[in-house]
Amino acid sequence: MPKLIATHDVDDIDHWLASPKRAEVFAGIATDLQTYVLPGDGKKVALSMEVADMNALEAMLKSEAGAAAMKYDGVHPDTVVIYVES
């Protein structure tokens, strides 16, 4: 199962950290979700996870549910960068 890290900007770090949407949209797609924040920057965050099916992850990110979760969480979609373990 590949590990990956996704970085992005958010409107409000506290809201993003407390959001239940992450667990909802990644259920069945990713495990071992861990959140990270960039100290001293109120907008930059990261999420690491293990993903069994990268196609399922990509489909979820492009879906209406994925877009709604990002909007709810205050994620700036144009800032999302995904790194895959090599």
Side-chain angles (χ1 to χ4, degrees):
M1 206 176 324
K3 293 180 184 179
L4 63 87
I5 296 171
T7 63
H8 52 282
D9 294 353
V10 294
D11 293 330
D12 181 317
I13 287 178
D14 291 332
H15 174 78
W16 180 78
L17 288 169
S19 175
K21 294 294 182 187
R22 185 172 28 260
E24 292 173 16
V25 297
F26 287 111
I29 297 172
T31 59
D32 194 26
L33 295 162
Q34 301 291 321
T35 57
Y36 305 85
V37 300
L38 181 60
D41 188 313
K43 303 290 181 195
K44 298 197 180 299
V45 297
L47 180 66
S48 67
M49 64 191 85
E50 293 186 15
V51 178
D53 183 345
M54 291 298 289
N55 291 328
L57 174 68
E58 186 174 325
M60 182 277 296
L61 292 173
K62 292 179 180 179
S63 72
E64 286 185 25
M70 283 192 265
K71 183 176 181 177
Y72 178 87
D73 284 353
V75 171
H76 300 201
D78 59 324
T79 66
V80 175
V81 177
I82 298 175
Y83 300 85
V84 179
E85 181 180 45
S86 59

